[in-house]
Amino acid sequence: MSTYQPLPHVLNKQTMAKVKLIDVAQLASVSKSTVSQYLNGRFDYMSKETQIRIRAAIKELDYVPNPIARNLKADKTKTIGVIVRDITGFDTSRTIRGVDDFCKGCDYNALIYNTDFDPETEAKSLEALYQMRVDGIIIASSGQNNKLISEYIDKGMPIVHFQLEHDGSEKNLILSDYRQAAFDATEYLIKLGHQRICFMTQDFKNVKSRNERYAGYAAALEKYGIPNNPGLIQYWQRETGFEHSPKSVLESDTAPTAFFTQHLAITTELLTHLNQENIAIPDDVSLIGFDDIPMAEFFKVPVTVIKQEPYIIGKEAAKLLLENINDKNRHSQKIMISCSITQRQSCIAPKS
Amino acid sequence: MSTYQPLPHVLNKQTMAKVKLIDVAQLASVSKSTVSQYLNGRFDYMSKETQIRIRAAIKELDYVPNPIARNLKADKTKTIGVIVRDITGFDTSRTIRGVDDFCKGCDYNALIYNTDFDPETEAKSLEALYQMRVDGIIIASSGQNNKLISEYIDKGMPIVHFQLEHDGSEKNLILSDYRQAAFDATEYLIKLGHQRICFMTQDFKNVKSRNERYAGYAAALEKYGIPNNPGLIQYWQRETGFEHSPKSVLESDTAPTAFFTQHLAITTELLTHLNQENIAIPDDVSLIGFDDIPMAEFFKVPVTVIKQEPYIIGKEAAKLLLENINDKNRHSQKIMISCSITQRQSCIAPKS
DNA sequence: AATACCTACTAAACCGGTTTAGTTGAACAG
DNA sequence: CTGTTCAACTAAACCGGTTTAGTAGGTATT
């Protein structure tokens, strides 16, 4: 139906050079500039006929603008980087999905970098993204590269944190309300009648978001006048596991009647341990864990958890970052997302 | 230690223009070309002193080449697209990880597109990636866009399939050996004494990879002289669930003694159903499922499954795609990855 | 001494768009 | 009849690299 002479038909398009703007311009008998104006919707001083000719030429040639050329001039990549520990995680994959959905809606792309909990890989990812000139970065940082991150921020790279805070900065971060969540979980156990609640955690001295959880736990104990016994704080490390075995903890003088785990990895390892030792949940000990568990409804004992909102966190992080990218002067923000307790069957009143 | 005059110190680097190649050239007193040669490791005709001067200038200025400019000239993006149904899936996230790990190792980036099982979104993702001029695409296609995909292939876009085959093409795809896996699972049940094995599947008429599963199931039955009763083929759809409820199937004349589910989603829905109806696994009926299950060890009854190798599939898909990108004339391949049965506790000999 | 052949560079075109600073011709005002 | 204004464009510079073709100067060959 085109009024233009069709191109000689080429069977194998692979050998055909990509159509470019100049081809469109020639076919429409206008200059490159005019076609560019057209593409960018600046019709202020363009006649209807010219518009029609250009539209037809674009269609005829099946022209698609080259975003690389466009980005070179604009000095933007329309791409952000996302640095996470492992995209494979239950919550993490959902956070990524949130980031990605938001980005796609804004014509941005997200590049994922996995660090596998290695600060060095984290540093390399940061550098790679910087060199790649992404427009911004969302990071769940290890807390070991704070100085480095500050340097990139100083260089003008917009950076948004999630999950773990960047020490010394209350800015541009989005996280769950860990303190409130830990308070709620602890209170929930207390109201069930628990007095000796074991707080199972990674070292939280230099990591705010872990510290916050502890603060919530401690606050709940205090509110109900329950002594905060340091023996009930049990430590776990990714590499070495539990400092004291859960079994030995349960056999100690101050045996807890409930476990409160601060991370899915801890919950998982605890569960394995308890399984092996034939310690029954919730009959022998109650359990509430941070982070939701996939397919928990099919568990021998479905575990009650504090559910974070990873998808929402991802969306909000992306939103915050894009705001930062597009308005450099805006004030930075700290956004808190509420958690909620998903009651399942791992918490009951203590026996004794 | 630099022998060059340091630049005047600027406190706020955000306001500093990015250093570019010409700046390095000027500082090192050479031409742009020479710096470019240096950056690309072509030292054939370059004096040692010049190299040293350029290296120093780069360091001095903290210069990082702009990949956009580089890509514009090279007409490459060093980026591939990955189209999946949902990155959040247990296996899918691992496949993505495999793709990404391989890509990162080859200096490529992967852009993820989620279709949420919608063919239209799939078509849009394809178009977006094409317009973006990614160097290639890995897709777990719905099977509904085969013609469209062929068009992109004709346009010269390297495309690799995984999980679901592109009908009419045995080329550039990588998938699990579904037939063998289904055969093995069926044989496993037969050897336990099962004769009436219910094959729970999505419609497999036009989807090869589902058909293959059925072929494996049928082949095992035939090998052991067990009649292939069409009543034991039960259909499930993502939108509407089971055609006949598992309970009714178990109450029919030809009640199966084992279920064999062809997809994690079917396994999950079956499990929910069985839970509600208080039908016990494996006492009332055995169950083996396609696709591994996260945290299965904590299940009331840990489910025996056929485990695919999503991470390996991702790696192989990326490898195949990059080979295609870098050698257009190479012959295409179909790669099969073996599955294995992960025995847990959902299969026992039938009671009767 | 003239020619060939290196080495060690450089100028300029190029990639495919965007943008700025014009240019042209017609309508209208004075 | 000249000057101004405005619609409707266009030429050329620009983004930041890569690449091609070429050049200058020195040494080896005949």
Side-chain angles (χ1 to χ4, degrees):
Chain A
M1 273 304 149
S2 167
T3 57
Y4 295 94
Q5 197 70 17
L7 284 178
H9 193 64
V10 180
L11 279 174
N12 184 357
K13 292 199 181 182
Q14 288 186 235
T15 60
M16 251 171 69
K18 274 264 179 184
V19 175
K20 35 195 182 173
L21 189 139
I22 186 97
D23 303 318
V24 174
Q26 273 161 12
L27 183 55
S29 311
V30 290
S31 72
K32 282 170 65 180
S33 331
T34 305
V35 179
S36 180
Q37 312 275 29
Y38 176 88
L39 289 171
N40 291 287
R42 285 191 287 276
F43 305 122
D44 316 13
Y45 300 111
M46 197 181 302
S47 71
K48 261 272 163 278
E49 302 86 64
T50 302
Q51 290 178 39
I52 291 167
R53 284 212 317 284
I54 294 176
R55 178 164 33 251
I58 288 174
K59 190 153 201 185
E60 171 83 29
L61 298 173
D62 207 7
Y63 169 72
V64 172
N66 184 332
I68 311 257
R70 190 172 270 177
N71 288 341
L72 173 59
K73 178 68 179 183
D75 196 27
K76 279 194 243 159
T77 52
K78 285 283 191 175
T79 300
I80 66 161
V82 187
I83 301 179
V84 294
R85 314 236 197 7
D86 179 18
I87 195 188
T88 269
F90 186 68
D91 273 18
T92 303
S93 63
R94 281 158 181 77
T95 302
I96 300 272
R97 186 67 147 94
V99 170
D100 197 58
D101 283 358
F102 193 89
C103 285
K104 292 268 158 52
C106 298
D107 210 24
Y108 272 78
N109 270 119
L111 288 176
I112 317 301
Y113 275 71
N114 298 98
T115 67
D116 290 318
F117 301 86
D118 176 26
E120 212 171 300
T121 307
E122 180 178 271
K124 277 187 199 151
S125 304
L126 238 10
E127 179 61 20
L129 288 168
Y130 175 72
Q131 297 206 358
M132 216 171 283
R133 286 166 161 78
V134 293
D135 296 345
I137 294 174
I138 294 174
I139 182 170
S141 79
S142 64
Q144 319 265 107
N145 282 311
N146 291 349
K147 212 163 56 191
L148 190 64
I149 293 174
S150 293
E151 281 173 33
Y152 287 111
I153 292 174
D154 288 346
K155 284 179 183 173
M157 176 69 78
I159 294 186
V160 164
H161 289 259
F162 76 101
Q163 282 189 9
L164 287 175
E165 311 187 27
H166 175 207
D167 282 354
S169 157
E170 290 284 304
K171 295 167 172 200
N172 285 331
L173 63 104
I174 153 139
L175 25 70
S176 292
D177 191 343
Y178 298 117
R179 183 196 293 242
Q180 184 67 46
F183 180 91
D184 291 346
T186 310
E187 185 174 49
Y188 171 71
L189 290 171
I190 293 171
K191 287 192 170 168
L192 277 173
H194 294 275
Q195 297 271 114
R196 294 191 308 284
I197 299 165
C198 176
F199 185 83
M200 302 191 117
T201 181
Q202 286 174 278
D203 178 46
F204 55 80
K205 272 193 293 297
N206 296 311
V207 184
K208 264 194 190 163
S209 55
R210 292 183 195 147
N211 213 315
E212 286 288 291
R213 288 153 147 100
Y214 174 72
Y217 165 79
L221 292 183
E222 192 178 341
K223 173 170 173 193
Y224 291 92
I226 298 172
N228 187 339
N229 181 343
L232 286 172
I233 315 292
Q234 287 297 325
Y235 291 93
W236 177 91
Q237 278 185 27
R238 194 165 294 277
E239 303 75 23
T240 53
F242 289 106
E243 194 182 8
H244 306 292
S245 84
K247 187 177 189 215
S248 69
V249 172
L250 282 172
E251 287 165 350
S252 70
D253 300 343
T254 56
T257 58
F259 287 126
F260 177 19
T261 52
Q262 303 309 307
H263 193 286
L264 180 55
I266 308 180
T267 313
T268 307
E269 201 164 320
L270 175 64
L271 244 21
T272 304
H273 207 99
L274 263 26
N275 259 2
Q276 280 166 5
E277 303 289 348
N278 264 312
I279 299 167
I281 291 174
D283 292 327
D284 296 335
V285 61
S286 286
L287 167 62
I288 189 167
F290 236 103
D291 303 323
D292 202 5
I293 293 176
M295 303 208 172
E297 65 268 36
F298 304 126
F299 276 34
K300 187 163 30 175
V301 179
V303 180
T304 293
V305 297
I306 296 167
K307 190 179 78 178
Q308 299 191 50
E309 298 290 349
Y311 183 79
I312 293 175
I313 289 178
K315 276 212 151 179
E316 289 293 327
K319 189 173 161 218
L320 187 54
L321 182 64
L322 295 194
E323 282 169 9
N324 266 274
I325 289 172
N326 296 312
D327 176 8
K328 298 261 177 191
N329 300 23
R330 70 188 288 292
H331 62 290
S332 49
Q333 278 185 49
K334 173 175 181 172
I335 296 174
M336 297 265 247
I337 308 288
S338 301
C339 301
S340 57
I341 293 180
T342 299
Q343 284 190 34
R344 291 198 272 245
Q345 297 155 36
S346 64
C347 297
I348 57 174
K351 289 281 154 92
S352 51
Chain B
M1 276 301 150
S2 167
T3 56
Y4 295 94
Q5 197 68 18
L7 286 176
H9 193 66
V10 181
L11 278 173
N12 184 358
K13 293 199 181 183
Q14 288 187 232
T15 60
M16 250 170 70
K18 274 261 177 187
V19 175
K20 37 197 181 175
L21 188 138
I22 186 90
D23 302 319
V24 174
Q26 274 162 11
L27 182 55
S29 312
V30 291
S31 73
K32 281 169 66 180
S33 331
T34 305
V35 179
S36 180
Q37 313 276 28
Y38 175 89
L39 289 172
N40 292 286
R42 285 190 287 275
F43 305 123
D44 316 13
Y45 302 110
M46 197 181 301
S47 71
K48 263 271 163 279
E49 302 85 67
T50 302
Q51 289 177 39
I52 291 168
R53 284 213 317 284
I54 294 176
R55 179 166 29 252
I58 288 174
K59 188 153 199 184
E60 171 83 29
L61 297 173
D62 206 9
Y63 169 72
V64 172
N66 183 333
I68 311 259
R70 189 173 268 177
N71 288 341
L72 174 59
K73 178 68 180 185
D75 196 25
K76 280 193 242 158
T77 52
K78 285 284 193 172
T79 300
I80 66 163
V82 187
I83 301 179
V84 294
R85 308 222 200 22
D86 179 18
I87 197 189
T88 269
F90 186 68
D91 273 19
T92 303
S93 64
R94 283 158 179 76
T95 302
I96 300 272
R97 186 67 147 95
V99 170
D100 197 59
D101 283 359
F102 193 89
C103 285
K104 293 267 157 53
C106 298
D107 209 25
Y108 273 78
N109 269 119
L111 287 177
I112 317 301
Y113 276 71
N114 299 97
T115 68
D116 290 318
F117 300 87
D118 176 26
E120 211 171 301
T121 308
E122 181 178 90
K124 277 188 201 149
S125 303
L126 239 9
E127 179 62 20
L129 288 168
Y130 174 73
Q131 297 205 359
M132 217 170 283
R133 283 164 164 80
V134 293
D135 296 344
I137 295 174
I138 294 175
I139 182 170
S141 79
S142 64
Q144 319 266 108
N145 283 312
N146 291 349
K147 213 163 57 191
L148 190 64
I149 293 175
S150 293
E151 282 173 30
Y152 286 111
I153 292 175
D154 289 346
K155 284 179 184 173
M157 176 69 78
I159 294 186
V160 163
H161 289 261
F162 77 102
Q163 281 189 11
L164 286 174
E165 312 186 28
H166 174 206
D167 283 354
S169 158
E170 289 284 303
K171 297 167 170 199
N172 285 331
L173 62 105
I174 154 135
L175 26 70
S176 292
D177 191 344
Y178 298 119
R179 184 196 294 242
Q180 185 66 47
F183 180 91
D184 291 347
T186 310
E187 186 174 51
Y188 172 70
L189 289 171
I190 292 170
K191 286 190 170 166
L192 277 174
H194 294 274
Q195 296 273 111
R196 294 191 309 284
I197 300 166
C198 177
F199 185 84
M200 302 190 117
T201 180
Q202 287 175 279
D203 179 45
F204 54 81
K205 273 194 292 295
N206 296 310
V207 184
K208 264 194 189 163
S209 55
R210 291 184 197 148
N211 212 313
E212 286 287 292
R213 288 154 146 100
Y214 174 71
Y217 165 78
L221 292 184
E222 194 179 337
K223 174 172 173 192
Y224 291 91
I226 297 172
N228 186 336
N229 182 343
L232 287 172
I233 316 293
Q234 287 296 326
Y235 293 92
W236 176 92
Q237 280 185 29
R238 192 166 296 277
E239 303 75 24
T240 55
F242 290 107
E243 194 183 9
H244 306 293
S245 83
K247 184 173 194 228
S248 70
V249 172
L250 282 172
E251 286 165 350
S252 70
D253 301 343
T254 56
T257 57
F259 287 126
F260 176 17
T261 52
Q262 303 308 306
H263 192 285
L264 180 56
I266 309 181
T267 313
T268 307
E269 200 163 320
L270 176 63
L271 244 22
T272 304
H273 208 99
L274 265 26
N275 258 1
Q276 279 166 5
E277 303 289 348
N278 262 312
I279 298 167
I281 291 174
D283 293 327
D284 297 334
V285 61
S286 286
L287 167 61
I288 190 167
F290 237 102
D291 304 324
D292 201 6
I293 292 175
M295 304 211 170
E297 66 268 34
F298 304 127
F299 276 33
K300 188 164 26 176
V301 180
V303 180
T304 294
V305 296
I306 296 167
K307 190 179 78 179
Q308 299 191 52
E309 298 291 350
Y311 184 78
I312 293 176
I313 289 178
K315 275 212 153 178
E316 289 293 327
K319 189 172 161 220
L320 187 54
L321 182 64
L322 294 194
E323 281 169 9
N324 266 274
I325 289 172
N326 295 313
D327 176 9
K328 297 262 176 191
N329 300 23
R330 70 188 290 292
H331 62 292
S332 48
Q333 277 187 50
K334 172 176 180 170
I335 296 175
M336 297 266 246
I337 307 290
S338 301
C339 301
S340 59
I341 293 180
T342 298
Q343 284 190 33
R344 290 197 271 246
Q345 297 154 37
S346 64
C347 297
I348 57 172
K351 290 283 155 94
S352 52

